[in-house]
Amino acid sequence: MRITVLAGGVGGSRFVRGVREECARRWPDGNGGTAASVTVIVNTGDDIWLSGVRLMPDFDSLLYSLAGVNDTERGWGRAGETERVAAELREWGVGWPWFTLGDLDLGTHLARTSWLRDGLTVSDVCERLQRRWPLGVRLLPSTDTEVDTHVVVDAADLASHDAPPPLGAPLRAEMHFQEWWTRYRATVPAREFRQRNLATARPARGVVEAIADADLVLVAPSNPVVSIGTILAVPGMHEALAATAAPVVGVSPIIGGKVVRGMADACLPAIGVETSAEAVGRHYGFRRDGGLLDAWLVDETDAAAAGSLTEGGLLAASAPLWMHDLDRSADLAGAAIDLGTAARSA
Amino acid sequence: MRITVLAGGVGGSRFVRGVREECARRWPDGNGGTAASVTVIVNTGDDIWLSGVRLMPDFDSLLYSLAGVNDTERGWGRAGETERVAAELREWGVGWPWFTLGDLDLGTHLARTSWLRDGLTVSDVCERLQRRWPLGVRLLPSTDTEVDTHVVVDAADLASHDAPPPLGAPLRAEMHFQEWWTRYRATVPAREFRQRNLATARPARGVVEAIADADLVLVAPSNPVVSIGTILAVPGMHEALAATAAPVVGVSPIIGGKVVRGMADACLPAIGVETSAEAVGRHYGFRRDGGLLDAWLVDETDAAAAGSLTEGGLLAASAPLWMHDLDRSADLAGAAIDLGTAARSA
């Protein structure tokens, strides 16, 4: 069994841990692992150069989480983290005071930056970073190109947060996604999301093959705009997903009109999509009509949405989507895998 | 009173602290400081790119020491240092396992690297780093050009440290000064020291002016080869020192045939200079013959050398050179200042 997952960071991490667990249950290798092969195509739109080092927040979230070294209480970064260097950087006035680099995390950033400066590609670097711990899955960056997401906002909306804009100032302002997300907590309405360098971006090494050779493609319940949307925006990605013989099953990041985690509800309006399981399913679209999905899994409380989508011709089903613990994440992954089986025989 | 000092890191720091203290005694400003103006031209030959960040060991030694945040027990780096990030870098296999980057120190390196990546010059960066603490002196890098010193050794000498060289391997090997100094503790005989990019190097902003406008130029008891030697090797530096109206007074880094600190005795043979106060004085040379010095200060135990040099025409004197504490460093600085006064009236 070969499963390929498209995923963002925090929500993606929980889901992928569930997939790994469910695979170990269904296709055990006799050593506590799985004979199934799981590949994760990771969003790189959140990546950023900060204080001269390269951060890949989604990749690191998956790495730390799958390695079991993540901070489960805080929900991000490394367990046992400290902030000695960050305190120094604040003294020097370097970086963003509202964006703290943990010491252990900084070790990862420095290793990555050092390898990038040596001329390694993002794919090479991601491969090296995975050698440290046995993850049980393979992580691929969606692209080697720096497609950092930027957010366009109205200058007038920024004014309520900062000083008012001077007369004659431009009406729109653009900032890196991390500034919008972390500094402004996504409270400044986003007018547009723009990924850098999309014209020259290509799927990273192994990505197209992982989609083509898969028995099942899963779309994690990650942010449809800035996580899954950025993966899909890489030229060649949509074509690979359209061409694969594997069924493509998506899991809704929206439960009962609310986001499961993260702030997708601050992103969806910018692309004109309602915050509902049905609307996101329709936004991804049916594969036979040129869209992404063969099947769509929504929460039990959104069963009506599943019904409505099924009437529209999409294979939709409902299951408990809350990933409160590893067991429930694995059960959710199991429901997605079952839906894939149903889609294959449909 | 305007004093300009040429200095390396650790020995230079003690000497410059002594100069600052002596100036506060002789030319007090009424606020515990001095009305004299002290500029230090700092060796940059020890600088290195490591793990993607730029290190300037001599500059940082002076900075930390003058700010009073240096580790006085260990003799280098910041007080209260930790090594959380370095432990991570070792796990990642990045950098040199025998060259540890402290967390507080790494804050400085990251700030510097971030500014350099933003396009600031080394001079700009050094100016910014000095704003954090009131130093009472001004530090200038000798040059903005990366003149990192490399050491040429015999491959056969390396073989006793590492694996023997393969047949057909080159007879000589070249390594960064920091590798030779820190990894091999300067125990592999140096055949040659080579500074990078000397052809295009120029004195940094303010350096030539600080020499031209000085009332006194002091050469700290730093390594004559890899500290003072690298400063002097920057094209234009020698001309500036030859042209200044200020007397140039050197302080011997050798006491009774032994180095005061550091490992200058491992460097002097490579340039064919004996490890003695007299030989180093002759190596620097008399200014009226095209050399560096108007006067040379040696230790009391080397009074014979002073006599011999005086016979040769150089103004030489002896004083206690051991800088055991701040008082004795200040007394030494005072002796050097007095020798400058004598040289001016000679």
Side-chain angles (χ1 to χ4, degrees):
Chain A
M1 184 69 180
R2 288 159 303 185
I3 299 179
T4 295
V5 188
L6 313 191
V10 179
S13 296
R14 290 205 179 208
F15 183 70
V16 171
R17 289 190 62 190
V19 170
R20 182 177 67 177
E21 179 70 12
E22 182 65 14
C23 284
R25 290 179 186 169
R26 296 194 179 203
W27 304 284
D29 66 356
N31 292 313
T34 177
S37 130
V38 178
T39 299
V40 185
I41 298 171
V42 184
N43 171 43
T44 60
D46 298 13
D47 299 2
I48 185 169
W49 283 102
L50 192 65
S51 307
V53 297
R54 184 68 174 163
L55 278 55
M56 297 183 67
D58 282 3
F59 182 88
D60 289 353
S61 284
L62 278 154
L63 179 72
Y64 297 158
S65 175
L66 291 163
V69 299
N70 57 316
D71 186 325
T72 51
E73 289 201 16
R74 196 171 51 169
W76 54 274
R78 290 279 299 271
E81 188 57 287
T82 49
E83 297 175 356
R84 297 267 290 170
V85 179
E88 281 297 301
L89 291 177
R90 267 191 295 275
E91 290 293 332
W92 292 120
V94 164
W96 288 338
W98 35 267
F99 195 98
T100 299
L101 300 170
D103 295 325
L104 302 179
D105 206 20
L106 199 48
T108 312
H109 306 327
L110 278 169
R112 171 168 39 235
T113 305
S114 175
W115 292 329
L116 288 173
R117 299 280 185 209
D118 285 347
L120 270 68
T121 63
V122 173
S123 292
D124 295 335
V125 167
C126 289
E127 202 176 295
R128 282 203 186 179
L129 289 171
Q130 288 173 73
R131 289 183 200 156
R132 180 165 171 189
W133 298 288
L135 302 185
V137 311
R138 180 173 63 134
L139 303 179
L140 298 178
S142 59
T143 176
D144 281 355
T145 306
E146 295 183 359
V147 294
D148 301 22
T149 300
H150 283 67
V151 185
V152 179
V153 300
D154 286 352
D157 290 333
L158 266 188
S160 58
H161 289 267
D162 294 309
L167 286 175
L171 294 174
R172 297 245 155 152
E174 196 171 318
M175 63 181 83
H176 192 284
F177 171 75
Q178 292 292 354
E179 183 171 4
W180 181 74
W181 191 256
T182 307
R183 181 179 187 184
Y184 294 107
R185 303 275 161 200
T187 57
V188 184
R191 300 305 171 194
E192 195 188 333
F193 295 96
R194 289 180 183 161
Q195 284 81 24
R196 292 269 193 268
N197 305 315
L198 274 186
T200 54
R202 293 289 172 273
R205 187 173 69 218
V207 165
V208 168
E209 294 77 1
I211 293 170
D213 300 343
D215 298 308
L216 172 64
V217 174
L218 298 176
V219 180
S222 298
N223 191 310
V225 186
V226 294
S227 296
I228 304 300
T230 303
I231 296 174
L232 297 175
V234 175
M237 198 70 77
H238 184 81
E239 291 76 0
L241 287 159
T244 183
V248 179
V249 176
V251 179
S252 173
I254 310 291
I255 297 180
K258 298 233 182 302
V259 292
V260 176
R261 62 180 45 76
M263 298 173 275
D265 47 343
C267 302
L268 286 166
I271 61 165
V273 174
E274 192 195 322
T275 303
S276 76
E278 183 176 343
V280 174
R282 288 192 194 280
H283 165 66
Y284 281 149
F286 308 168
R287 195 145 75 121
R288 60 163 190 230
D289 302 331
L292 173 68
L293 302 174
D294 292 303
W296 186 232
L297 188 62
V298 302
D299 187 64
E300 291 172 316
T301 58
D302 291 313
S308 161
L309 288 165
T310 304
E311 281 167 29
L314 181 70
L315 183 63
S318 64
L321 291 201
W322 288 106
M323 297 185 283
H324 291 297
D325 53 34
L326 183 58
D327 265 352
R328 273 176 273 194
S329 301
D331 290 344
L332 165 55
I337 293 168
D338 288 342
L339 192 55
T341 308
R344 200 177 295 110
S345 52
Chain B
M1 184 67 180
R2 288 159 302 184
I3 300 180
T4 295
V5 189
L6 313 190
V10 180
S13 297
R14 289 205 180 209
F15 183 69
V16 171
R17 288 190 62 190
V19 171
R20 183 178 66 177
E21 178 71 12
E22 182 65 13
C23 284
R25 290 179 187 168
R26 295 194 180 204
W27 303 284
D29 66 356
N31 292 314
T34 177
S37 130
V38 179
T39 299
V40 185
I41 298 171
V42 184
N43 170 43
T44 60
D46 297 14
D47 300 1
I48 185 169
W49 282 103
L50 192 67
S51 307
V53 297
R54 184 67 173 164
L55 278 54
M56 296 183 69
D58 282 3
F59 182 87
D60 290 352
S61 284
L62 278 153
L63 179 72
Y64 297 158
S65 175
L66 290 163
V69 299
N70 57 316
D71 187 325
T72 51
E73 290 202 14
R74 196 171 52 169
W76 55 273
R78 290 280 297 271
E81 189 57 290
T82 49
E83 298 175 355
R84 297 266 291 169
V85 180
E88 281 297 301
L89 291 178
R90 267 192 294 276
E91 290 292 332
W92 291 121
V94 164
W96 288 338
W98 35 268
F99 195 98
T100 298
L101 300 170
D103 295 325
L104 302 179
D105 206 20
L106 199 48
T108 313
H109 305 327
L110 278 170
R112 172 167 39 235
T113 305
S114 176
W115 292 328
L116 289 172
R117 299 281 184 208
D118 285 346
L120 271 67
T121 64
V122 173
S123 292
D124 296 333
V125 167
C126 289
E127 203 177 294
R128 282 203 186 180
L129 289 172
Q130 287 172 74
R131 289 183 200 157
R132 180 164 170 189
W133 298 288
L135 302 184
V137 313
R138 180 174 62 135
L139 304 178
L140 298 178
S142 59
T143 177
D144 281 355
T145 307
E146 295 183 0
V147 295
D148 301 22
T149 300
H150 284 67
V151 186
V152 179
V153 300
D154 286 352
D157 289 333
L158 267 189
S160 59
H161 288 268
D162 294 308
L167 285 175
L171 292 174
R172 297 244 155 154
E174 196 172 318
M175 64 181 83
H176 192 284
F177 172 75
Q178 291 293 355
E179 182 170 4
W180 181 74
W181 190 257
T182 307
R183 180 179 187 183
Y184 294 107
R185 303 274 162 201
T187 57
V188 183
R191 300 305 170 196
E192 194 187 335
F193 295 96
R194 289 179 183 163
Q195 284 81 24
R196 292 270 193 266
N197 306 315
L198 275 186
T200 54
R202 293 289 172 271
R205 187 173 69 219
V207 165
V208 168
E209 294 77 2
I211 293 169
D213 299 343
D215 298 308
L216 173 64
V217 174
L218 297 176
V219 179
S222 298
N223 190 311
V225 186
V226 293
S227 296
I228 305 300
T230 303
I231 297 174
L232 297 175
V234 174
M237 198 68 77
H238 184 81
E239 291 75 0
L241 287 159
T244 183
V248 179
V249 177
V251 179
S252 172
I254 311 291
I255 297 180
K258 298 235 182 302
V259 292
V260 176
R261 62 179 46 75
M263 298 174 275
D265 48 342
C267 302
L268 287 165
I271 60 166
V273 174
E274 191 195 323
T275 303
S276 77
E278 183 176 343
V280 172
R282 288 193 193 280
H283 164 65
Y284 281 149
F286 308 167
R287 196 146 73 122
R288 59 163 191 230
D289 302 332
L292 173 67
L293 302 174
D294 293 301
W296 185 233
L297 189 62
V298 303
D299 188 62
E300 292 173 314
T301 58
D302 290 315
S308 162
L309 288 165
T310 304
E311 282 167 29
L314 181 69
L315 183 62
S318 64
L321 291 200
W322 288 107
M323 298 185 280
H324 292 297
D325 52 35
L326 182 58
D327 265 352
R328 273 177 271 194
S329 301
D331 289 344
L332 164 55
I337 292 168
D338 288 341
L339 192 54
T341 308
R344 200 177 295 113
S345 53

